[in-house]
Amino acid sequence: MNSFITSQFSIFLLLVLCATTFHSVMCSTNMQLLCNEKDQSALQIFKHGVLNHSKMLPSWSNEEYCCAWQGVHCDNTTGRVTRLDLAQQYLEGDINLSLLQIEFLNYLDLSLNGFTSLTVPPSHANFSSNNIMFLDLSFNDDLHLDGLHWLSQFSSLKYLNLSEISLQNETNWLQTMAMHPSLIELRLASCHLTNISPLIKYVNFSSLVTLDLSGNNFLSDLPYWVFNLTKISYIDLSFNLLQGELPKSLLSLQSLKTLRLNENEINGSIPDWLGQHENLQYLGLSENMFHGSIPSSIGNLSSLVELSISSDLLSGTLPTSLGQLFNLRSLSIAGESLSGVLSEKHFSNLSNLESIYLSAPFSFDLASDWIPPFQLNGISLSKTNLGPKFPEWIYTQRSLVYLEVPSSNISSINGDMFWRFLANITQVILSNNTISADLTNITLNSEIMFIDQNNFTGGLPHISANVILLDLSHNSFYGPISPLLCNKLGRKNSLDYLDISSNFLTGKVPDCLESWKDLSFLLMENNMLTGEIPPSMGSAIDLVILDLHNNSLSGNFSVDLSNITGLEYINLGQNNFTGTVPTKMPHGMEVMLLKSNQFEGNIPAQLCKLSSLIQLDLSNNKLSGPIPKCISEIPSMGGAHRTIHYPFAINLYTKGQELEFKDYGLLRTLDLSSNNLSGEIPSQVFHLVQLQTLNLSRNHFTGKIPRDIGNMNNLESLDLSSNKLSGEIPVSITNLSFLSFLNLSYNNFVGQIPVGTQIQSFNPSIFAGNPGLCGAPLPRKCPTESDGVDESKQHGGSNDDGVDNESLYLGMGVGFAVGFWSFCGSLFFIRAWRHMYLKFLNHVLDQLHGNGIFGWLRL
Ligand SMILES: *[C@@H]1O[C@H](CO)[C@@H](O)[C@H](O)[C@H]1NC(C)=O
Ligand SMILES: *[C@@H]1O[C@H](CO)[C@@H](O)[C@H](O)[C@H]1NC(C)=O
Ligand SMILES: *[C@@H]1O[C@H](CO)[C@@H](O)[C@H](O)[C@H]1NC(C)=O
Ligand SMILES: *[C@@H]1O[C@H](CO)[C@@H](O)[C@H](O)[C@H]1NC(C)=O
Ligand SMILES: *[C@@H]1O[C@H](CO)[C@@H](O)[C@H](O)[C@H]1NC(C)=O
Ligand SMILES: *[C@@H]1O[C@H](CO)[C@@H](O)[C@H](O)[C@H]1NC(C)=O
Ligand SMILES: *[C@@H]1O[C@H](CO)[C@@H](O)[C@H](O)[C@H]1NC(C)=O
Ligand SMILES: *[C@@H]1O[C@H](CO)[C@@H](O)[C@H](O)[C@H]1NC(C)=O
Ligand SMILES: *[C@@H]1O[C@H](CO)[C@@H](O)[C@H](O)[C@H]1NC(C)=O
Ligand SMILES: *[C@@H]1O[C@H](CO)[C@@H](O)[C@H](O)[C@H]1NC(C)=O
Ligand SMILES: *[C@@H]1O[C@H](CO)[C@@H](O)[C@H](O)[C@H]1NC(C)=O
């Protein structure tokens, strides 16, 4: 008798036993004998590949009966393992496909783990007949697959999900998948795929119902084969670079319910015939290049549940036929060239509508007592002409979770009623309107509240313990901060982000920060605050960003911030602080901006211990003495790279002007200008090769510029003007190919200005006040030009490489730097928002993401 029959037989006995005794203990103790040996040993091999199995899969070691192991499911008649479901168990290590030895395994879900490799045992007879129908390895982000050939061992696949696994080098993925004609569902979202084979007319996916290829890098026309899948019900091609017009073959996909094409480059008009597709339920066409107007036939899509359309090339108005879409739950329309007036007819039958997103210069013609047919949970209307009065109909919406009406020309609100209404809404965005109201006695209660860029006035409002994110910036609030911060809330507050910048606030920073333990972002710049920083600042233990610049704060900055280990950014600039430069800072400090205060004494050597510092601005103070030599010990200004980025814009003084940077995380700056610093500039300063901006101007530095300056090849802005520097300008300075701002004026430099494309293209004024300098761009010729060139060669030494580089970058100086910035700036901006690595980004922006601002993108 082979083992299979034995176990069948035993199970039979067992069932009889259980049925007659009803003794569950007995049943389970007996069952331990019955786990199929082969199944169990295959599972054991798999377990050994899981690095943290002892922690994450304890039952796999403690229980003898493998059907009782976490995630293992057995057929209760045969006792054979049929399913392994280990989704989201924090497993790491290797997926050993020895699992294929389990003959009756039909379901394998290892998604949402941290597996990094997949081992495929050499294929032999035993495996060729595996029964796996369901395979999900998605969201193992670091899983490295060596091709897709291993899929050939899965001959019964019906459901396959490899989303979020890089298949970047897999140009033949479609051919591989086509070997699985029984596939019902195929998901390859965000796999870095590049080739969708747009010209292939037909693929034998005769059973395919669901196809998700979103978030790849397909740059081509829409593929024929996708619109030729007869059984298809769900197509997601969103977030690619697909072009071309919507194919009419769409109409023959009778079962199609979901079509998501958002975030592509699909052009042409939105065809009139689209309205004939009566089965469509989810239609996502937003963020494409459609032009023309939205056809009124859209109103015939009677099954439609979600509709999103946006393109800046669309014109005309919204067809009133949209009002017939009785089943519609979510409507999202955007386009800066759309126009027209929306009336009650546009909404007449939308009684199932749950959320609306409109961003277009629409006007509204709705009676003041209009009662809409819907009860929404989300309203997002931006850049519309909704105002000047906050519309009455919104008050009829009693279950709103988010209300976003930024940039909508709203100026008047119905005081008490308005604030009482908002108090029940989780997320409120009123930014950039012209609402004028006194908030002295108002209590805000929304978790997320952006009311910045209005004309709110009076004292700061009170907040409840529910508020997590509050932006009151760019209004006309006046008076002290204490009503907001020193008011006991009764229970633990949740405030994580507070922006009260750019108002007319006065008085001291209140000494009640010890109750704001969750506060990560505290932005109070551009007010009229006075007095010293209270000691309790040191107990706002979660702070990440503290901005106090441009107030009238004073006193020694003696607060000890060294325990605020997450603090990365502090801006105390443009105040009246005195005493020595504060050094009680956490080690992770990255940006320290202290300019335009009254700090005095030497630059403290303790600053060199801030190993993450990437920007230090001590300009326009009263500092004296030399620059500490240890400055080159700051690794992040020297060699190390940095990877974390914030989606915040800051203004920095560089290249002779104040510029706004979307992401300060990439910029490295040392600005010590306008002090009384003296002595030679230590050569160590010129070893900070990561620096992009170096400003030592308006001090009393002496000595020469060392040749090493030629190694600072990231330098974009160099200002050494108004010092007492002397000697020749080293020729190596021509190696600085990104240099787009240079000022060496008012020193005692002598000799010929080095020859290099950029240098001669600068304005001559940057060399002014150096009577000993000659050569272009100065009008003063050097005594013997030709000798001068030889001389520069002598001084230049390794100049040859530099000249080569330079011809490479010729004329790219500013353009390249700026281009690089706008590209990388926005790239990292987006990435930071996506990754949401901070508490703030996590739980606050996540909500934004889930519901409002970005919610419409998801369709
Ligand atoms: C295993 O999981 C634990 C628990 O989440 C995690 O802390 C650990 O880093 C993981 N990896 C290893 C190799 O233990
Ligand atoms: C097997 O177990 C499942 C789930 O526990 C149960 O629904 C099913 O009725 C059982 N089948 C037999 C034959 O006992
Ligand atoms: C995977 O399992 C096989 C047995 O099927 C074993 O020989 C091999 O060493 C395992 N691979 C890894 C990486 O553990
Ligand atoms: C893809 O190919 C490139 C070049 O051959 C290689 O560097 C890269 O590591 C490969 N990527 C993956 C995910 O295999
Ligand atoms: C669909 O596939 C058939 C082959 O089965 C082909 O003849 C036809 O042109 C295809 N249609 C489209 C729109 O690609
Ligand atoms: C503010 O709103 C106006 C229209 O009301 C718009 O033109 C402008 O772009 C908006 N500004 C911002 C920063 O959104
Ligand atoms: C706020 O919600 C509560 C409970 O859901 C309800 O009783 C109250 O009427 C609501 N207030 C307003 C102004 O909507
Ligand atoms: C705020 O409330 C106080 C006390 O109730 C009152 O005296 C004051 O006038 C109110 N201020 C405003 C602007 O409503
Ligand atoms: C803002 O409000 C103040 C006082 O209510 C008023 O004097 C001022 O004109 C308003 N400014 C704007 C731009 O509406
Ligand atoms: C700074 O303090 C000095 C003297 O203490 C005072 O004269 C000056 O007005 C203050 N400046 C600012 C911006 O508050
Ligand atoms: C910083 O933390 C240490 C250890 O937790 C503690 O002893 C010290 O008093 C704290 N310092 C400040 C200024 O809070």
Side-chain angles (χ1 to χ4, degrees):
M1 241 196 310
N2 72 28
S3 65
F4 176 64
I5 297 180
T6 327
S7 62
Q8 287 267 343
F9 186 62
S10 318
I11 290 243
F12 174 70
L13 277 184
L14 187 83
L15 287 172
V16 172
L17 255 174
C18 288
T20 50
T21 63
F22 296 102
H23 200 285
S24 61
V25 174
M26 184 152 183
C27 292
S28 57
T29 45
N30 273 315
M31 271 183 160
Q32 288 179 358
L33 308 169
L34 295 166
C35 194
N36 179 281
E37 253 174 57
K38 245 174 88 189
D39 292 358
Q40 178 142 357
S41 74
L43 289 170
Q44 292 281 9
I45 293 171
F46 168 77
K47 182 182 90 172
H48 287 302
V50 180
L51 290 176
N52 49 4
H53 64 82
S54 57
K55 211 192 274 164
M56 306 314 297
L57 297 174
S59 62
W60 284 48
S61 306
N62 302 337
E63 289 273 343
E64 277 175 48
Y65 176 50
C66 77
C67 296
W69 293 356
Q70 183 184 346
V72 177
H73 301 266
C74 295
D75 183 314
N76 42 10
T77 58
T78 63
R80 298 297 300 261
V81 174
T82 54
R83 289 165 66 101
L84 182 57
D85 181 357
L86 291 172
Q88 203 169 3
Q89 299 297 322
Y90 307 96
L91 306 178
E92 293 175 4
D94 179 56
I95 300 173
N96 197 327
L97 284 185
S98 63
L99 289 171
L100 298 187
Q101 287 167 354
I102 305 176
E103 353 179 6
F104 294 100
L105 189 67
N106 61 52
Y107 182 103
L108 179 55
D109 187 353
L110 301 174
S111 61
L112 292 154
N113 282 296
F115 287 109
T116 46
S117 64
L118 179 85
T119 302
V120 191
S123 104
H124 54 80
N126 270 2
F127 293 5
S128 56
S129 63
N130 84 75
N131 287 310
I132 295 188
M133 290 189 281
F134 180 105
L135 178 62
D136 190 345
L137 303 180
S138 64
F139 291 89
N140 281 282
D141 293 21
D142 299 319
L143 184 56
H144 295 293
L145 293 184
D146 175 26
L148 288 173
H149 54 89
W150 52 276
L151 270 179
S152 63
Q153 301 193 29
F154 292 77
S155 50
S156 317
L157 271 188
K158 292 198 167 138
Y159 178 107
L160 176 63
N161 191 348
L162 300 177
S163 295
E164 234 9 85
I165 296 176
S166 178
L167 300 174
Q168 146 188 26
N169 295 346
E170 214 34 70
T171 46
N172 286 329
W173 66 272
L174 184 57
Q175 282 81 343
T176 307
M177 297 305 158
M179 316 273 251
H180 298 275
S182 51
L183 276 175
I184 292 173
E185 185 158 341
L186 176 60
R187 294 184 185 268
L188 299 172
S190 303
C191 291
H192 302 119
L193 297 171
T194 49
N195 182 8
I196 199 170
S197 306
L199 298 177
I200 291 183
K201 295 250 190 269
Y202 174 77
V203 179
N204 185 19
F205 285 138
S206 49
S207 310
L208 203 63
V209 170
T210 299
L211 177 64
D212 182 356
L213 295 173
S214 61
N216 284 294
N217 303 322
F218 300 130
L219 170 62
S220 66
D221 278 337
L222 284 165
Y224 288 111
W225 62 268
V226 170
F227 297 96
N228 206 351
L229 296 167
T230 45
K231 290 223 175 104
I232 201 82
S233 159
Y234 179 104
I235 298 176
D236 190 346
L237 296 174
S238 59
F239 291 90
N240 278 293
L241 297 162
L242 294 165
Q243 303 162 350
E245 304 192 3
L246 288 180
K248 198 159 182 187
S249 54
L250 202 54
L251 283 184
S252 53
L253 307 183
Q254 288 296 323
S255 310
L256 191 65
K257 293 202 167 72
T258 301
L259 179 62
R260 297 185 199 272
L261 298 172
N262 329 21
E263 300 270 346
N264 278 290
E265 296 180 351
I266 302 169
N267 47 33
S269 55
I270 297 175
D272 210 31
W273 50 255
L274 193 57
Q276 296 168 33
H277 207 302
E278 285 171 9
N279 297 325
L280 267 186
Q281 295 181 351
Y282 301 85
L283 179 59
L285 300 177
S286 62
E287 298 292 307
N288 276 292
M289 319 265 269
F290 293 113
H291 57 74
S293 56
I294 299 175
S296 107
S297 66
I298 292 277
N300 298 337
L301 293 169
S302 51
S303 307
L304 219 49
V305 173
E306 281 183 30
L307 173 63
S308 78
I309 299 176
S310 73
S311 161
D312 285 340
L313 304 174
L314 283 172
S315 53
T317 186
L318 274 193
T320 50
S321 62
L322 279 181
Q324 301 163 20
L325 296 173
F326 174 77
N327 290 304
L328 202 63
R329 291 206 294 262
S330 165
L331 174 64
S332 162
I333 307 277
E336 60 186 25
S337 309
L338 290 166
S339 58
V341 179
L342 304 192
S343 64
E344 289 167 27
K345 206 162 175 219
H346 283 93
F347 306 101
S348 55
N349 266 330
L350 304 184
S351 49
N352 289 300
L353 201 64
E354 291 169 0
S355 69
I356 184 168
Y357 170 89
L358 299 175
S359 178
F362 294 131
S363 299
F364 294 83
D365 174 23
L366 303 168
S368 63
D369 58 353
W370 179 53
I371 311 250
F374 44 70
Q375 277 296 326
L376 303 177
N377 57 38
I379 295 179
S380 180
L381 304 172
S382 62
K383 300 183 183 154
T384 64
N385 296 307
L386 194 62
K389 201 163 173 290
F390 183 79
E392 293 287 328
W393 66 264
I394 293 183
Y395 291 117
T396 65
Q397 304 298 301
R398 310 305 295 184
S399 43
L400 281 181
V401 177
Y402 63 94
L403 171 63
E404 303 173 357
V405 285
S407 306
S408 296
N409 291 314
I410 299 171
S411 57
S412 107
I413 53 172
N414 180 351
D416 284 351
M417 183 177 174
F418 181 75
W419 297 109
R420 267 205 316 275
F421 180 68
L422 291 196
N424 272 6
I425 304 174
T426 308
Q427 178 178 317
V428 175
I429 299 184
L430 302 174
S431 311
N432 191 29
N433 283 290
T434 48
I435 310 172
S436 214
D438 187 317
L439 299 197
T440 312
N441 292 339
I442 302 293
T443 298
L444 305 177
N445 184 50
S446 304
E447 286 179 19
I448 295 173
M449 188 101 198
F450 286 79
I451 62 170
D452 55 300
Q453 301 175 75
N454 276 282
N455 195 17
F456 289 116
T457 180
L460 288 176
H462 301 268
I463 62 173
S464 80
N466 294 329
V467 181
I468 297 173
L469 193 155
L470 180 59
D471 189 347
L472 304 175
S473 67
H474 296 275
N475 280 296
S476 306
F477 291 111
Y478 55 81
I481 296 175
S482 45
L484 180 75
L485 284 185
C486 299
N487 200 14
K488 290 272 178 284
L489 300 182
R491 67 179 173 91
K492 191 181 170 302
N493 71 77
S494 322
L495 196 64
D496 188 16
Y497 179 101
L498 177 63
D499 188 349
I500 49 175
S501 65
S502 301
N503 281 290
F504 304 107
L505 300 170
T506 52
K508 296 186 171 190
V509 175
D511 194 13
C512 13
L513 287 157
E514 67 281 338
S515 37
W516 301 92
K517 298 267 189 249
D518 281 349
L519 202 55
S520 302
F521 297 79
L522 182 52
L523 311 173
M524 310 199 279
E525 70 272 17
N526 299 323
N527 279 294
M528 303 186 306
L529 303 173
T530 52
E532 302 195 11
I533 299 301
S536 68
M537 185 64 84
S539 53
I541 205 75
D542 260 5
L543 272 187
V544 174
I545 291 193
L546 176 60
D547 196 340
L548 292 168
H549 84 268
N550 199 19
N551 281 288
S552 297
L553 298 165
S554 59
N556 291 340
F557 191 95
S558 54
V559 189
D560 187 345
L561 302 180
S562 53
N563 278 358
I564 308 183
T565 50
L567 187 62
E568 297 184 349
Y569 176 103
I570 189 167
N571 193 344
L572 304 177
Q574 295 154 281
N575 279 291
N576 225 347
F577 289 114
T578 52
T580 53
V581 171
T583 54
K584 291 172 192 159
M585 295 290 166
H587 278 276
M589 183 64 79
E590 294 176 352
V591 177
M592 245 179 108
L593 308 175
L594 308 183
K595 75 168 179 191
S596 304
N597 279 289
Q598 319 272 349
F599 289 118
E600 58 194 10
N602 291 346
I603 298 176
Q606 289 96 313
L607 292 184
C608 306
K609 297 269 186 307
L610 301 178
S611 57
S612 303
L613 207 58
I614 53 171
Q615 285 170 33
L616 179 61
D617 185 350
L618 301 177
S619 66
N620 200 18
N621 278 290
K622 295 174 172 167
L623 301 173
S624 55
I627 300 178
K629 291 192 169 65
C630 65
I631 195 122
S632 61
E633 291 165 17
I634 305 178
S636 45
M637 281 204 178
H641 283 278
R642 184 172 172 277
T643 52
I644 297 174
H645 306 278
Y646 283 111
F648 288 93
I650 57 160
N651 290 326
L652 282 173
Y653 193 83
T654 180
K655 301 183 188 180
Q657 57 185 315
E658 188 120 346
L659 294 178
E660 187 187 70
F661 289 94
K662 276 264 157 59
D663 177 352
Y664 68 75
L666 287 173
L667 199 71
R668 284 148 215 254
T669 300
L670 179 61
D671 191 343
L672 305 176
S673 62
S674 302
N675 278 290
N676 295 321
L677 299 169
S678 58
E680 294 203 5
I681 302 172
S683 61
Q684 284 82 351
V685 169
F686 298 97
H687 296 159
L688 300 174
V689 295
Q690 293 284 322
L691 278 188
Q692 279 136 310
T693 297
L694 176 61
N695 190 350
L696 303 178
S697 65
R698 279 157 285 159
N699 279 292
H700 309 291
F701 291 119
T702 53
K704 300 182 175 181
I705 306 180
R707 230 169 59 190
D708 295 359
I709 195 169
N711 298 330
M712 301 182 75
N713 39 33
N714 289 300
L715 213 52
E716 293 172 20
S717 175
L718 174 65
D719 192 346
L720 301 175
S721 64
S722 301
N723 278 292
K724 295 172 185 158
L725 298 169
S726 57
E728 294 186 5
I729 302 170
V731 174
S732 63
I733 204 166
T734 62
N735 291 1
L736 305 179
S737 39
F738 290 134
L739 199 63
S740 57
F741 179 87
L742 176 68
N743 193 349
L744 299 178
S745 63
Y746 301 97
N747 279 289
N748 296 317
F749 292 118
V750 295
Q752 179 171 15
I753 295 170
V755 180
T757 338
Q758 262 149 311
I759 305 288
Q760 271 64 42
S761 68
F762 286 129
N763 189 308
S765 65
I766 69 163
F767 297 107
N770 291 285
L773 277 183
C774 61
L778 289 178
R780 191 161 47 242
K781 286 222 152 44
C782 293
T784 45
E785 286 274 283
S786 53
D787 290 358
V789 172
D790 289 336
E791 205 178 308
S792 74
K793 281 224 169 98
Q794 281 162 25
H795 290 283
S798 64
N799 169 22
D800 297 353
D801 288 348
V803 171
D804 285 342
N805 276 341
E806 193 159 83
S807 52
L808 199 69
Y809 294 118
L810 205 106
M812 284 174 69
V814 185
F816 182 80
V818 170
F820 177 80
W821 255 107
S822 46
F823 172 71
C824 277
S826 57
L827 187 76
F828 285 113
F829 181 83
I830 291 162
R831 189 187 293 169
W833 280 53
R834 287 222 176 124
H835 276 241
M836 298 181 270
Y837 56 94
L838 266 183
K839 184 179 67 169
F840 164 66
L841 297 172
N842 256 326
H843 79 223
V844 180
L845 290 184
D846 207 17
Q847 296 191 32
L848 288 179
H849 221 92
N851 302 319
I853 299 183
F854 306 106
W856 61 282
L857 280 177
R858 294 186 308 162
L859 175 56

